[in-house]
């Protein structure tokens, strides 16, 4: 598997101390690259980090673990500080989106702006040709000369959804060594090379909110006052009081504290009226959506309507639909069958089979 | 260390072979617990007493005013917390500066959380506190002033005597963190009216894990470590005899040629400063041109980012630093550089090079060859530099 032509190429591998990026570093070394390990320090709760061993991807324990792996692989290792970039592009965006009634996806913002903008920039500065990560996705160059992402070998682990926003330049300078393997194969490699991390749990949902209390995090990170408001039904009749819109997301059923005599679901969050609209389960289904903040990978732009498969959240299986440009900056997506809980703020990502066509943010 | 040029002596220094040699017998032959009755331990008691005398002499203190600790950080913690607590009946106000080492700053922040009031004095563009600011900050409730002797990042040396005199005139205890200044600056605790002072062995070619606190006789302080009767009941724990001996030996060696060493370091430092500023445009010296430690050069290069600079220097065999080392090895903008008025971007692109005993002119030659190239490379890839060239200089 050693490739001689890689020997003059330098790769910075982003290491979290977890199994995927550790094996990725090992694979790159095997492939003959000159590998430099880097852990990105992106947030750290000064008070809690020393007290809690939360096993997250960014704390001090991640640095210690990654450094150990780098030592074992005998590759140079550095910690780079991206706290400012992370705060501005991820945490602030996260708070702002919730305050405006959307449900953000911070991982997508982190990938685009922190990992693939700041880390790539700094890696190129220190002499690297590429950056690499332990993501379950594959970079592919198409016959039309464009770069795109191909789904990972195991669909279940596939992470292309969170990477739809990468630019051509970023993809051109990216290697994702684990994408062609299944998670089990990666764990096997980790065990074979005696990496101590093989049994670490996967990183949690939102790394900078280890206790998962989004509302508390938002309240602590904004000057805006979170005020109570009305629950209303589809016709706009007031049916109860909510705790503040940041507590709700489209499709949500639990934690509403309403006694309607039937299950109620969040249909819409209205930041202007400070209202949360409640309806029946079927009210949460919709056949179409509009998205902005578009990024195309396999094609330069969408010239005519196209039949594709779209994913509307990370865990969504994907559904067939027609996409067409609504105007220069927005795209309309019309599904064959109504989809549940199309949520503003989340990404919609389009696929042609295994390959990413592009995506955008649901509005 | 082969082919590596080590210019981070403010972070730590290699232990001198003569120091190691002096320490060795105290690991094996002379291992007795200094608190024991028998003759076997006598040698250790003597060794500790001897080291205590050496430390005391180095700062013009008395033997019984020296307490051995696990290092500078413990000395800072003990002095500040201990004095604040011992005098809390008088008041709970402490004065310090914005550019202290974290051992002092975080200790003060800890006390703030426990009901104390802390004033963080600003500094001028060179990193010196203004004596009027100190004068104005003093209140009836002020019990402690803690200002560092010399700064670890930018090397600026304070006018310690002036501060000490003012503190004494106001009957306020004055502590100084002298970890960086010790064995580079003349320290006289009597003349300078210093009531408490912290030092560390590993900054002066001694071992890590040992330091000392000086506390003027008559100043009240509680025990920091509770347990046995060591250090006159004030710092419990079996003495780190090899470490204490090593500290003594390191001081002995350093004080034998302090002036020549300073002169030599100053010359190398000035070569670094003068020639880097000459070779590299849009660079500035941080700290004072003359009132600075003999080993410290700290320069900001505009449009670049310190982390990439340090990594590239490392790849070229040069060990430097940017800001102060943090636990993870990753860099936050330095609170010291921000305090002397540098904007965030410039504070990020700073390089601290600190020379030492082993530094040669050839090392400086090599650094002067490597740094300009690295800075240029980073600037060529910097969007900030691109913008700057496009829009022209606004200065």
């Amino acid at each position: 598997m050693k490739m001689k032509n890689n020997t003059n190429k330098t790769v910075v591998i982003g290491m979290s101390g977890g199994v995927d990026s550790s094996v990725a570093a090992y694979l790159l070394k095997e492939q003959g690259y000159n590998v430099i390990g880097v852990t990105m320090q992106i947030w750290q709760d000064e008070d809690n980090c020393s007290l809690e061993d939360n096993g997250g991807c960014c704390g001090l324990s991640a640095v210690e673990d990654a450094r150990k792996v780098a030592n074992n692989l005998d590759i140079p290792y550095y910690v780079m500080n991206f706290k400012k970039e992370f705060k501005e592009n991820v945490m602030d965006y996260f708070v702002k989106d919730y305050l405006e009634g959307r449900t953000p996806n911070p991982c997508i913002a982190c990938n685009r702006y922190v990992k693939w903008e700041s880390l790539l920039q700094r890696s190129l500065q220190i002499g690297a040709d590429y950056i690499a990560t332990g993501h379950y996705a594959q970079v592919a160059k198409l016959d039309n000369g464009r770069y795109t992402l191909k789904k990972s070998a195991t669909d279940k682990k596939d992470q292309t959804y969170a990477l739809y926003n990468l630019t051509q330049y970023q993809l051109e300078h990216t290697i994702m060594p684990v994408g062609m393997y299944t998670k089990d194969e990666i764990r096997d490699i980790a065990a074979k090379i005696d990496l101590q991390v093989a049994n670490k749990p996967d990183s949690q949902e939102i790394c900078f909110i280890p206790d998962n209390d989004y509302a508390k995090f938002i309240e602590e990170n904004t000057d805006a006052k979170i005020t109570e408001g009305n629950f209303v039904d589809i016709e706009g009749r007031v049916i109860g009081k909510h705790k503040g819109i940041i507590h709700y997301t489209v499709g949500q059923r639990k934690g509403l504290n309403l006694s309607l005599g039937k299950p109620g679901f969040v249909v819409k969050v209205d930041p202007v009226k400070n209202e949360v609209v409640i309806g029946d389960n079927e009210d949460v289904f919709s056949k179409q959506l509009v998205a902005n903040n578009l990024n195309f990978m396999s094609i330069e732009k969408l010239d005519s309507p196209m039949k594709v498969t779209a994913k509307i959240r990370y865990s969504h299986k994907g559904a067939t639909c027609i996409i067409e440009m609504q105007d220069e900056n927005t795209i309309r997506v019309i599904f064959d069958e109504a989809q549940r809980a199309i949520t503003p703020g989340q990404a919609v990502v389009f696929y042609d089979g295994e390959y990413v066509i592009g995506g955008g943010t649901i509005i | 260390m082969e082919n590596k040029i080590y210019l981070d002596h403010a972070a730590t220094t290699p232990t001198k072979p003569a120091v190691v040699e002096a320490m060795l017998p105290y690991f094996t032959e002379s291992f007795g617990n200094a608190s024991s009755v028998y003759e076997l331990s006598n040698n250790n008691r003597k060794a500790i007493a001897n080291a205590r005398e050496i430390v005391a002499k180095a700062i013009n203190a008395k033997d019984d005013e020296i307490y051995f600790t696990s290092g500078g950080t413990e000395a800072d913690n003990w002095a500040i917390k201990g004095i604040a607590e011992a005098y809390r009946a008088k008041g709970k106000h402490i004065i310090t500066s914005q550019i202290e080492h974290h051992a002092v700053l975080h200790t003060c922040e800890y006390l703030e959380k426990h009901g104390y009031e802390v004033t963080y004095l600003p500094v001028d563009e060179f990193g010196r506190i203004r004596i009027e600011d100190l004068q104005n900050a003093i209140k009836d409730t002020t019990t402690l002033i803690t200002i560092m002797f010399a700064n670890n990042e930018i090397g600026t040396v304070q006018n310690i005597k002036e501060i000490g005199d003012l503190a004494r005139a106001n009957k306020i205890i004055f502590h100084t963190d002298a970890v960086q200044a010790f064995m580079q600056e003349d320290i006289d605790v009597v003349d300078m009216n210093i009531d408490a002072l912290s030092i560390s062995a590993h900054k002066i070619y001694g071992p890590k894990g040992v330091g000392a606190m000086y506390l003027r006789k008559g100043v009240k302080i509680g025990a920091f470590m509770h347990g046995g009767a060591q250090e006159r009941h004030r710092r419990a724990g079996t003495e780190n005899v090899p470490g204490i001996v090593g500290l003594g030996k390191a001081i002995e060696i350093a004080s034998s040629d302090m002036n020549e060493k300073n002169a030599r370091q100053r010359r190398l430092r000035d070569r670094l400063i003068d020639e880097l500023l000459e070779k590299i445009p849009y660079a500035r010296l941080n700290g004072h041109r003359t009132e600075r430690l003999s080993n410290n050069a700290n320069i900001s290069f505009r449009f670049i980012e310190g982390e990439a600079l340090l990594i590239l220097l490392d790849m070229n065999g040069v060990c430097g630093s940017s800001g102060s080392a943090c636990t993870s090895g990753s860099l936050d903008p330095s609170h010291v550089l921000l305090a002397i008025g540098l904007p965030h971007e410039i504070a990020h692109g700073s390089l601290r090079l600190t020379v030492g005993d082993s530094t040669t002119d050839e090392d400086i030659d090599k650094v002067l060859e490597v740094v300009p190239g690295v800075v240029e490379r980073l600037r060529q890839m910097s969007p900030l530099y691109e913008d700057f060239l496009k829009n022209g200089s606004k200065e």
Side-chain angles (χ1 to χ4, degrees):
Chain A
M1 171 101 200
K2 280 209 198 277
M3 293 179 224
K4 286 232 163 56
N5 58 342
N6 292 335
T7 47
N8 293 324
K9 298 285 184 193
T10 299
V11 186
V12 162
I13 167 86
M15 298 178 77
S16 68
V19 60
D20 301 328
S21 57
S22 300
V23 171
Y26 163 80
L27 291 171
L28 290 167
K29 209 186 163 199
E30 284 294 290
Q31 287 162 20
Y33 288 103
N34 183 14
V35 185
I36 299 171
V38 164
T39 295
M40 310 175 68
Q41 189 154 53
I42 49 181
W43 70 278
Q44 191 179 302
D45 189 332
E46 305 287 348
D47 287 337
N48 291 338
C49 86
S50 52
L51 302 175
E52 284 172 33
D53 184 22
N54 57 47
C57 69
C58 338
L60 278 182
S61 72
V63 170
E64 276 165 28
D65 291 344
R67 199 187 293 277
K68 204 162 73 186
V69 172
N71 282 341
N72 287 344
L73 295 175
D74 197 21
I75 57 173
Y77 173 81
Y78 300 99
V79 179
M80 289 185 182
N81 184 324
F82 293 100
K83 285 189 201 168
K84 182 166 162 270
E85 290 85 347
F86 190 76
K87 166 101 180 42
E88 285 169 4
N89 291 301
V90 183
M91 290 161 92
D92 290 352
Y93 142 82
F94 180 86
V95 170
K96 180 168 176 282
D97 247 29
Y98 260 111
L99 289 174
E100 291 174 4
R102 291 185 293 270
T103 304
N105 188 322
C107 296
I108 292 176
C110 176
N111 284 335
R112 166 72 187 262
Y113 297 105
V114 184
K115 293 198 177 118
W116 268 275
E117 204 159 286
S118 305
L119 176 64
L120 177 59
Q121 157 89 358
R122 216 169 289 177
S123 299
L124 296 177
Q125 282 179 345
I126 65 166
D129 301 288
Y130 303 100
I131 60 168
T133 64
H135 280 105
Y136 282 87
Q138 309 179 60
V139 180
K141 190 170 183 186
L142 303 175
D143 292 339
N144 64 3
R146 291 186 66 83
Y147 289 88
T148 190
L149 289 172
K150 188 181 172 199
K151 284 188 180 175
S152 82
T154 11
D155 201 37
K156 208 171 70 190
K157 287 298 297 179
D158 177 57
Q159 292 177 308
T160 52
Y161 174 82
L163 297 164
Y164 88 88
N165 214 4
L166 303 191
T167 65
Q168 290 294 301
Y169 180 82
Q170 291 168 342
L171 289 170
E172 194 185 337
H173 292 91
T174 297
I175 305 175
M176 294 178 178
V178 307
M180 58 189 286
Y181 297 93
T182 64
K183 183 85 186 184
D184 288 341
E185 287 170 332
I186 293 298
R187 286 198 188 279
D188 287 347
I189 297 171
K192 195 184 80 195
I193 61 173
D194 205 18
L195 273 180
Q196 299 298 314
V197 296
N199 291 314
K200 268 186 81 160
D202 286 349
S203 39
Q204 71 255 353
E205 223 171 303
I206 292 187
C207 67
F208 55 91
I209 313 181
D211 64 1
N212 257 347
D213 191 342
Y214 301 176
K216 189 183 88 194
F217 175 85
I218 293 161
E219 289 186 64
E220 284 170 359
N221 285 278
T222 181
D223 297 330
K225 220 170 129 42
I226 312 298
T227 46
E228 291 185 351
N230 290 329
F231 280 123
V232 297
D233 65 14
I234 299 282
E235 273 81 43
R237 287 181 297 243
V238 175
I239 55 171
K241 278 263 178 243
H242 70 67
K243 297 184 284 183
I245 58 165
I246 60 164
H247 294 271
Y248 308 94
T249 186
V250 173
Q252 180 178 341
R253 176 184 167 185
K254 287 181 183 156
L256 301 180
N257 287 325
L258 283 168
S259 39
L260 306 171
K262 58 176 180 174
F265 296 84
V266 174
V267 175
K268 192 181 161 208
V269 176
D270 187 334
V272 179
K273 294 187 191 156
N274 194 28
E275 279 178 359
V276 175
V277 181
I278 302 294
D280 297 328
N281 192 33
E282 51 266 33
D283 296 325
V284 185
F285 282 79
S286 171
K287 269 194 95 158
Q288 63 165 307
L289 66 85
V290 175
N292 62 7
N293 187 19
L294 304 177
N295 183 58
F296 289 109
M297 279 188 181
S298 66
I299 55 175
E300 198 192 335
K301 54 186 176 33
L302 184 65
D303 293 320
S304 53
M306 195 172 175
K307 192 162 174 71
V308 304
T309 304
K311 274 179 77 162
I312 55 168
R313 69 179 68 83
Y314 183 70
S315 57
H316 188 224
K317 303 194 304 291
T320 50
C321 57
I322 304 280
I323 55 174
E324 61 180 334
M325 295 305 290
Q326 180 171 268
D327 55 46
E328 205 181 319
N329 300 314
T330 57
I331 199 166
R332 181 186 300 279
V333 182
I334 300 146
F335 291 97
D336 294 349
E337 284 171 30
Q339 301 298 309
R340 189 177 187 279
I342 293 172
T343 309
Q346 291 285 292
V348 56
V349 180
F350 315 121
Y351 294 87
D352 175 6
E354 301 284 280
Y355 294 92
V356 174
I357 297 167
T361 306
I362 300 169
I363 53 177
Chain B
M1 284 293 286
E2 264 173 274
N3 301 323
K4 291 271 185 203
I5 297 175
Y6 183 76
L7 289 180
D8 204 15
H9 290 85
T12 193
T13 56
T15 309
K16 292 236 149 129
V19 173
V20 175
E21 207 177 306
M23 292 168 69
L24 283 177
Y26 295 92
F27 287 103
T28 48
E29 298 144 41
S30 196
F31 64 88
N33 189 320
S35 302
S36 303
V37 178
Y38 35 76
E39 180 59 26
L40 176 67
S41 299
N42 210 24
N43 198 29
N44 287 358
R45 283 192 285 273
K46 274 194 226 158
I48 294 171
N50 181 46
R52 203 184 303 281
E53 200 182 312
I54 295 171
V55 177
K57 216 176 114 196
I59 56 173
N60 192 25
K62 298 184 199 76
D63 293 7
D64 58 0
E65 294 175 321
I66 305 299
Y67 301 84
F68 292 111
T69 66
S70 64
T73 293
E74 185 192 326
D76 284 340
N77 269 267
W78 184 13
I80 296 168
K81 290 179 196 164
I83 292 167
E85 194 169 294
Y87 289 87
R88 70 173 169 221
K90 185 193 162 198
K92 295 176 101 175
H93 180 233
I94 298 165
I95 301 171
T96 185
S97 83
Q98 291 175 357
I99 63 163
E100 297 298 309
H101 189 275
H102 284 138
V104 169
L105 281 183
H106 289 169
T107 302
C108 287
E109 285 162 17
Y110 167 85
L111 286 173
E112 273 185 300
K113 283 187 192 152
H114 288 81
Y116 287 81
E117 182 196 355
V118 181
T119 301
Y120 300 90
L121 295 178
V123 292
D124 66 16
E125 59 180 313
F126 302 114
R128 291 175 307 187
I129 66 148
R130 298 175 198 83
I131 201 74
E132 319 84 78
D133 288 347
L134 177 60
Q135 174 84 62
N136 293 337
I138 293 173
K139 308 181 189 191
D140 293 343
T141 53
T142 310
T143 55
L144 173 67
I145 294 169
T146 172
I147 307 275
M148 70 200 319
F149 206 112
N151 184 266
N152 50 310
E153 291 186 35
I154 57 174
T156 301
V157 182
Q158 302 291 341
N159 191 339
I160 286 295
K161 183 168 166 49
E162 199 179 30
I163 299 168
D165 291 350
L166 183 61
R168 185 62 55 86
N170 286 277
K171 296 195 172 63
I172 297 165
I173 312 289
F174 173 43
H175 164 257
T176 186
D177 172 350
V179 167
Q180 292 290 335
F182 189 52
M183 290 295 115
Q184 282 200 65
E185 293 293 312
D186 290 321
I187 301 177
D188 182 330
V189 294
V190 176
D191 175 57
M192 294 170 164
N193 283 321
I194 298 168
D195 298 304
L197 173 143
S198 309
I199 61 163
S200 167
H202 77 100
K203 308 282 191 190
I204 59 163
Y205 306 91
K208 293 168 180 63
V210 63
M213 180 184 74
Y214 148 80
L215 188 74
R216 187 171 59 79
K217 213 170 177 148
V219 175
K220 288 189 285 180
I221 200 163
F224 189 58
M225 302 289 249
H226 300 272
Q230 293 89 354
E231 300 295 285
R232 297 180 296 289
H233 295 275
R234 281 177 160 170
R235 203 281 184 179
T238 299
E239 295 88 345
N240 171 9
V241 184
I244 290 168
V245 169
L247 170 61
K249 188 69 187 173
I251 295 173
E252 216 170 67
I253 297 173
S255 44
S256 68
D257 65 345
M258 203 167 113
N259 291 339
E260 298 93 88
K261 191 179 111 176
N262 267 335
R264 189 172 161 280
Q265 289 194 157
R266 204 169 284 124
R267 192 178 60 74
L268 294 168
R269 171 199 80 184
D270 288 346
R271 275 199 66 198
L272 271 179
I273 294 174
D274 294 340
E275 295 182 42
L276 281 176
L277 290 180
E278 190 191 301
K279 283 179 185 230
I280 304 175
Y282 314 117
R284 58 157 277 165
L285 175 70
N286 296 314
H288 199 280
R289 187 65 190 83
T290 53
E291 299 301 309
R292 71 186 301 134
L293 291 173
S294 66
N295 71 346
N296 176 295
N298 185 316
I299 296 178
S300 289
F301 304 104
R302 285 180 67 186
F303 318 116
I304 67 168
E305 190 279 315
E307 227 159 48
L309 174 66
L310 288 185
I311 293 172
L312 278 173
L313 289 183
D314 186 31
M315 289 172 168
N316 283 283
V318 177
C319 310
S321 91
S322 170
S324 50
C326 124
T327 43
S328 65
S330 111
L331 306 170
D332 281 325
S334 146
H335 65 285
V336 177
L337 297 181
L338 296 178
I340 61 170
L342 259 59
H344 260 266
E345 320 81 86
I346 300 181
H348 255 301
S350 301
L351 176 65
R352 180 187 74 178
L353 299 173
T354 40
V355 302
D357 282 2
S358 64
T359 312
T360 62
D361 271 295
E362 289 71 50
D363 290 345
I364 304 296
D365 291 341
K366 173 86 190 289
V367 170
L368 291 169
E369 194 184 296
V370 169
V371 176
V374 166
V375 170
E376 181 56 24
R377 176 194 164 86
L378 291 175
R379 282 186 176 161
Q380 287 311 323
M381 301 178 81
S382 156
L384 293 170
Y385 192 53
E386 207 175 307
D387 291 349
F388 173 80
L389 292 180
K390 235 179 269 165
N391 303 328
S393 170
K394 281 175 201 152
E395 284 158 41

